[in-house]
Amino acid sequence: MAGHVPPAPGHAPQDGQLILLHGWREQILSGLMMLTAIALCVAPWIGGDSPVDAKDAHRNEVAVGMIMLVVAIARLSRHTGRWTDWTTLAAGAWLVAAPWVLSLQNTEVFDGSHVFHVAAGTVLIVLAAASMILRAVLDRKEHPEHPNGRRR
């Protein structure tokens, strides 16, 4: 077979699976985080004129969107640790809680901002959980000699 390169000595057949899992964690999930961040940053301009309380909601969306944009860029540019997962989880939890913490549900005119907060927050929580699960699987596969998969 022309172009076929045999695997290097010492490489397990699971190397391809590890590369795929790293790709899912570092590229696919990070890309979805970036899309969510962009949606959060763009959402205030889509709604049009809003009451004062909704403007606070839009500021919240932009702030969380900018944080998530930085996290997504960090994840795409280098191998990051667990801090990005925890930051994403915290941002998602904040977005889900924000309508009640900031009393956004008491606006006179419904503009859908609290529904968007909860939806975007749920997406971020799911992405953070998926990334944490993939990181745990990768730790176990890369370091099987330790019971919890991590180096000491």
Side-chain angles (χ1 to χ4, degrees):
M1 220 184 202
H4 175 69
V5 178
H11 286 274
Q14 290 184 341
D15 283 349
Q17 185 181 18
L18 290 176
I19 291 170
L20 183 64
L21 290 175
H22 274 291
W24 267 96
R25 182 175 184 272
E26 295 170 2
Q27 295 172 355
I28 303 297
L29 293 179
S30 300
L32 292 172
M33 288 176 191
M34 184 171 283
L35 288 175
T36 305
I38 291 169
L40 284 166
C41 290
V42 171
W45 289 278
I46 295 174
D49 199 22
S50 303
V52 174
D53 288 344
K55 289 189 187 301
D56 291 338
H58 296 323
R59 286 187 197 109
N60 186 47
E61 291 167 358
V62 171
V64 173
M66 295 303 288
I67 291 168
M68 286 310 305
L69 199 57
V70 169
V71 168
I73 290 170
R75 287 176 61 104
L76 287 169
S77 65
R78 61 174 190 249
H79 296 292
T80 56
R82 290 179 171 79
W83 72 269
T84 58
D85 297 336
W86 288 106
T87 304
T88 303
L89 184 66
W94 168 250
L95 280 176
V96 170
W100 292 273
V101 173
L102 299 176
S103 299
L104 300 178
Q105 76 274 19
N106 294 330
T107 58
E108 293 177 14
V109 178
F110 176 75
D111 72 341
S113 64
H114 62 282
V115 173
F116 181 69
H117 271 86
V118 173
T122 303
V123 167
L124 289 177
I125 290 170
V126 169
L127 291 173
S131 183
M132 288 176 176
I133 291 168
L134 281 174
R135 180 73 256 164
V137 169
L138 284 166
D139 283 346
R140 285 194 186 101
K141 288 183 180 285
E142 290 174 341
H143 309 290
E145 63 276 3
H146 296 289
N148 63 357
R150 293 188 212 155
R151 292 182 191 165
R152 294 189 182 165

